[in-house]
């Protein structure tokens, strides 16, 4: 799939598995003897030295395993072995992670847990692409047509679409970003080395990213509804707020979402019938699909466990099988304060290892936080 790997994408998945599904990592009690030759994608990668670990997925499209009893030296040796086997395209590395593609389009992600001497290996098969036709919808007309017509339409509806465009270099991605800017996507923007997000004057939101391996992701959504209407209502009212006997339906919905969001933050047992009932009340007053409601529930469950950036929670929900539209709905409606999420993430990083101020900000940005959120997170933790 996707973009240059967020360094702790695999870490997030493992921790969520631990907390939500009772998996206790890859300690001696959980580790099992592994047969590398039995894995669907085992021949794409070098075999690790350790023969014990925990398998999470083993299919033709996705391979995810945690290897136990791996020293830091052995981890570094494995990274070098992967490079020797061709994983050198759009590579990215840190002291605890490595990601790269090979020439066949396989995406490798490695993460090392020094405290437990464990290594996580994640391999994703190449995205299947073919010749596509650019959407002729109103939103398709808002964006420039990409130079390449090779890609994959992830989804397309009346309220937006997500399309992966292949045969697109980093330079061509940068040029496409500039074209979108010239088309008026200049409001509330954030631009990184491999990502760009912005609104146009009418509120349409575009999100672009260079995924690596000559793949560009394009996402556009229609304007969000009623936020300004809800906040504007009291300004136009001459009645005191406390004597408003009949709040609007939008105010009821907002109040209910806030109540549920608060409850989720307090619940230790995040998977229970009570949360289902509460979210059921919310869904009765919304036009959300079943998938969107479940994605919202999952987003709140994940955020109750550990910090995520906006793009991070979307990626995690997509990883769990939700569509991009469902995952985006969950992120947009989960009630998270992304500054506070950045602050929590910064604290976790500093508890794990030492960072300079710039290094911490860079790491948070790499996890999907905006520059402003990353700076907030660093400053909230003493920088």
């Amino acid at each position: 799939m996707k973009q240059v790997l967020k360094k702790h994408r695999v870490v997030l998945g493992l921790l969520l598995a631990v907390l939500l599904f009772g998996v206790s990592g890859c300690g001696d009690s959980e580790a099992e003897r592994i047969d590398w030759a039995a894995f669907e994608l085992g021949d794409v990668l070098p075999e690790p030295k350790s023969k014990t670990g925990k398998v999470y997925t083993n299919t033709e499209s996705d391979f995810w395993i945690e290897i136990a009893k791996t020293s830091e030296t052995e981890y570094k040796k494995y990274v070098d072995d992967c490079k020797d086997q061709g994983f050198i395209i759009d590579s990215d590395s840190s002291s605890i992670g490595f990601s790269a593609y090979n020439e066949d389009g396989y995406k490798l992600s490695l993460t090392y847990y020094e405290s437990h001497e464990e290594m996580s290996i994640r391999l994703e098969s190449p995205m299947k692409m073919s010749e596509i036709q650019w959407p002729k919808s109103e939103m398709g007309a808002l964006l420039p047509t990409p130079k390449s017509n090779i890609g994959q339409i992830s989804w397309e509806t009346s309220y937006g679409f997500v399309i992966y465009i292949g045969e697109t270099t980093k330079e061509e991605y940068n040029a496409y970003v500039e074209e979108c800017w010239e088309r008026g996507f200049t409001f509330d923007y954030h631009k990184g080395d491999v990502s760009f997000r912005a609104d146009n004057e009418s509120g349409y939101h575009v999100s672009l990213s260079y995924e690596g391996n000559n793949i560009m992701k394009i996402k556009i959504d229609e304007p969000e509804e009623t936020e300004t209407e809800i906040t504007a209502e009291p300004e136009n009212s001459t009645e005191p707020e406390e004597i408003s006997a009949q709040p609007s339906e939008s105010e009821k919905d907002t109040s209910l979402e806030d109540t549920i969001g608060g409850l989720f933050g307090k619940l230790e047992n995040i998977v229970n019938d009570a949360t289902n009932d509460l979210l059921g009340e919310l869904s009765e007053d919304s036009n959300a699909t079943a998938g969107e409601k479940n994605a919202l529930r999952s987003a709140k469950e994940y955020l109750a466990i550990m910090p995520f950036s906006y793009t991070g929670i979307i990626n995690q929900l997509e990883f769990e099988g939700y569509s991009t539209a469902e995952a985006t709905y969950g992120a947009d409606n989960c009630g998270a304060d992304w500054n506070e999420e950045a602050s929590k993430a910064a604290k976790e990083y500093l508890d794990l290892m030492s960072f300079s101020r710039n290094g911490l900000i860079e790491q948070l940005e790499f996890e999907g936080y905006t520059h402003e959120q990353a700076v907030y997170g660093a400053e909230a933790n003493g920088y």
Side-chain angles (χ1 to χ4, degrees), residues 124-312:
E124 298 170 87
S125 62
M127 180 180 291
K128 296 180 180 178
M129 294 190 172
S130 58
E131 188 173 315
I132 62 171
Q133 184 176 20
W134 186 250
K136 297 181 179 179
S137 62
E138 177 185 358
M139 277 184 274
L142 292 174
L143 297 175
T145 302
K147 180 179 178 181
S148 171
N149 66 344
I150 301 300
Q152 180 190 102
I153 298 177
S154 179
W155 59 268
E156 180 184 0
T157 69
S158 59
Y159 53 83
F161 57 76
V162 169
I163 299 178
Y164 292 89
I165 302 295
E167 300 182 3
T168 301
T169 65
K170 179 65 167 17
E171 291 72 23
E172 289 169 335
Y173 160 79
N174 290 335
Y176 191 83
V177 170
E178 292 304 315
E179 289 183 65
C180 289
W181 182 272
E182 293 171 0
R183 290 283 188 103
F185 285 92
T186 59
F187 295 83
D188 295 327
Y189 74 92
H190 171 74
K191 185 177 181 181
D193 184 52
V194 293
S195 65
F196 175 76
R197 302 189 300 273
D199 294 346
N200 68 5
E201 188 175 11
S202 300
Y204 287 90
H205 180 76
V206 68
S207 177
L208 310 174
S209 59
Y210 180 70
E211 309 288 288
N213 199 36
N214 292 332
I215 298 174
M216 171 174 64
K217 179 181 178 181
I218 302 172
K219 180 177 185 291
I220 187 169
D221 297 297
E222 66 183 356
E224 295 182 2
E225 298 179 357
T226 69
E227 275 285 330
T228 54
E229 295 175 9
I230 293 173
T231 56
E233 215 173 317
E235 297 178 8
N236 297 331
S237 173
T238 57
E239 297 295 328
E241 290 184 9
E242 59 269 24
I243 64 171
S244 179
Q246 296 183 353
S248 68
E249 288 301 315
S250 60
E251 290 174 325
K252 292 178 183 177
D253 289 346
T254 302
S255 176
L256 184 55
E257 281 195 19
D258 291 342
T259 300
I260 294 172
L263 286 172
F264 268 102
K266 298 175 182 178
L267 290 175
E268 290 292 334
N269 182 4
I270 58 175
V271 185
N272 55 40
D273 292 337
T275 55
N276 284 329
D277 292 340
L278 286 169
L279 286 169
E281 292 175 17
L282 174 62
S283 65
E284 290 174 0
D285 294 330
S286 72
N287 295 320
T289 66
E292 288 170 339
K293 296 169 191 172
N294 286 328
L296 175 57
R297 176 189 175 193
S298 294
K300 291 186 175 183
E301 290 175 350
Y302 292 140
L303 288 163
I305 295 169
M306 63 189 306
F308 283 83
S309 67
Y310 176 80
T311 56

Side-chain angles (χ1 to χ4, degrees), residues 27-99:
D28 291 340
S29 62
E30 292 291 333
E32 56 194 43
R33 187 75 179 175
I34 59 175
D35 179 8
W36 195 259
F39 298 137
E40 296 282 352
L41 298 176
D43 60 343
V44 182
L45 293 170
E47 183 174 353
K49 180 179 179 181
S50 174
K51 307 302 180 186
T52 59
K54 180 75 174 180
V55 179
Y56 291 94
T57 59
N58 178 28
T59 68
E60 292 181 353
S61 60
D62 191 6
F63 175 49
W64 179 13
I65 186 171
E66 189 177 66
I67 303 296
K69 301 177 181 178
T70 302
S71 69
E72 184 175 3
T73 299
E74 290 168 340
Y75 162 71
K76 292 179 178 178
K77 173 65 165 56
Y78 190 76
V79 171
D80 290 338
D81 290 344
C82 290
K83 291 179 180 178
D84 291 341
Q85 201 151 318
F87 285 93
I88 56 175
I89 299 173
D90 289 329
S91 64
D92 188 85
S93 63
S94 71
S95 60
I96 58 174
F98 172 80
S99 65

